[in-house]
Amino acid sequence: MQAPEKPPVKSEEVISLLNKSIKETNSGGQFRKTVFHVHTPESPDFKLINESTMEILGIKRDKQIESWREFTSEELIKIAKYFELLLIDEHDISDFEKFNKTKDFSDANELVAFLILAHCILKQGIELVLVCDHNTLLGNNKLQKAIKLLRKERKGYVVKTRVALGIEISCSDKNHVVGILNQSDKDQIAAMELWMEENIISPSDGTIRMTYDVFEHFSQIGVIGYIAHINSSNIFKANFLTKTYKTQLFNSGLFSIIGVTDTDQIEPTKTRIRGITKRPFRFVIDNDAHTVEELNEKNFYIKGDIMDFYAIEAALKDFDLSVSYKKVPSPNKYIKALYVEGR
């Protein structure tokens, strides 16, 4: 016996549900302000602020500071007030202990340093930030917790910054390689941590492995990799490494993205690469921020909705349509949904 035919869905019901969904969904595939390769207080050479800000705040040293850890608790509070993280004067470093009950941060000083970084990221409207500490993954979760804490305790931030998990590997051939990891892929992270345990000497010293070796490992576990700030590398110098090694590296197919410090470096870098290979490469702006003042200097825009690893991966594959070096205004009119009536 033939099953009775189901009554058709009424157009009014579908359209009603569609309108409800549209009203509840404010997000979409928009171009998001993006900063790749940001260091956190977990990097040994993260300075937090530059010398100009130190001078403004009257923070003096006999020589240039090497790390934010050289600041006293009182100086960190002064820095926090300068960037308007703290809105009242009566603050002491001990006031922050209550926010570190789970001991995610080593002490109150480290918490304040992360909060200053997180606050500056949020205030500058950065929607996607790729954390790339030197030879460690530890800064990612701490920055996420700092951003979450600020958004809970303070009002007025207009963006919900997505923190992507990355790492900067200091290779034995003097190149720095950035890896973009999928923080929802526990197997990938475990494989990366095992490799680090076996190959990273220390966060300061990096690895004895060459760039090619690092890219090969990235490829095996599904990490997206690129050479960081290549325009400041020695790789294009004739007497640096062998031509055979460089030819094999750039023709390996293990990476298709390269980082440069600004858009002016793209064409000169393309010319240098053509001396090694005819393979085409795409270029991202590689910030390499070690101070909060650098955050707004070198950024670009990636198109996506939920800016997770898959959105980044898709955008880099669809580079021409999904990556922009300039801010792309949202259109005044666009089609957000389409309903075709029929049986």
Side-chain angles (χ1 to χ4, degrees), residues 98-250:
K98 62 183 179 182
F99 298 115
N100 193 30
K101 291 180 180 178
T102 55
K103 301 301 179 184
D104 296 309
F105 303 88
S106 61
D107 55 28
N109 280 7
E110 184 180 79
L111 171 59
V112 171
F114 268 96
L115 287 174
I116 293 168
L117 174 61
H119 175 69
C120 290
I121 288 170
L122 288 165
K123 290 292 286 184
Q124 291 178 21
I126 298 168
E127 296 178 88
L128 174 63
V129 59
L130 175 65
V131 169
C132 297
D133 282 314
H134 291 296
N135 311 297
T136 181
L137 300 175
L138 295 177
N140 179 272
N141 285 338
K142 292 182 180 182
L143 182 58
Q144 289 195 44
K145 291 179 185 296
I147 288 175
K148 184 178 180 180
L149 175 60
L150 285 177
R151 288 190 54 82
K152 178 183 176 183
E153 297 293 329
R154 288 194 51 157
K155 306 297 181 184
Y157 297 119
V158 298
V159 298
K160 295 181 180 180
T161 304
R162 176 82 181 198
V163 181
L165 176 60
I167 189 170
E168 181 182 22
I169 304 291
S170 309
C171 303
S172 62
D173 54 12
K174 304 300 181 181
N175 285 320
H176 289 189
V177 174
V178 162
I180 306 172
L181 291 90
N182 182 354
Q183 51 195 324
S184 66
D185 187 339
K186 304 305 180 185
D187 291 337
Q188 183 194 78
I189 294 174
M192 188 69 225
E193 289 175 336
L194 178 61
W195 184 91
M196 291 164 60
E197 185 179 334
E198 295 174 347
N199 294 279
I200 297 293
I201 299 168
S202 72
S204 299
D205 297 318
T207 180
I208 60 171
R209 303 300 174 191
M210 303 277 279
T211 301
Y212 191 98
D213 303 326
V214 174
F215 276 131
E216 208 167 36
H217 178 68
F218 282 178
S219 178
Q220 290 168 1
I221 64 174
V223 172
I224 302 168
Y226 70 83
I227 299 178
H229 43 75
I230 198 169
N231 53 288
S232 63
S233 167
N234 292 322
I235 197 165
F236 297 119
K237 292 183 178 179
N239 59 349
F240 184 76
L241 304 174
T242 66
K243 185 176 180 180
T244 301
Y245 173 75
K246 287 187 277 191
T247 300
Q248 185 178 15
L249 175 64
F250 281 92

Side-chain angles (χ1 to χ4, degrees), residues 323-336:
V323 177
S324 175
Y325 302 120
K326 296 180 180 179
K327 186 175 182 179
V328 179
S330 299
N332 294 324
K333 296 180 180 179
Y334 55 93
I335 298 172
K336 192 164 186 178

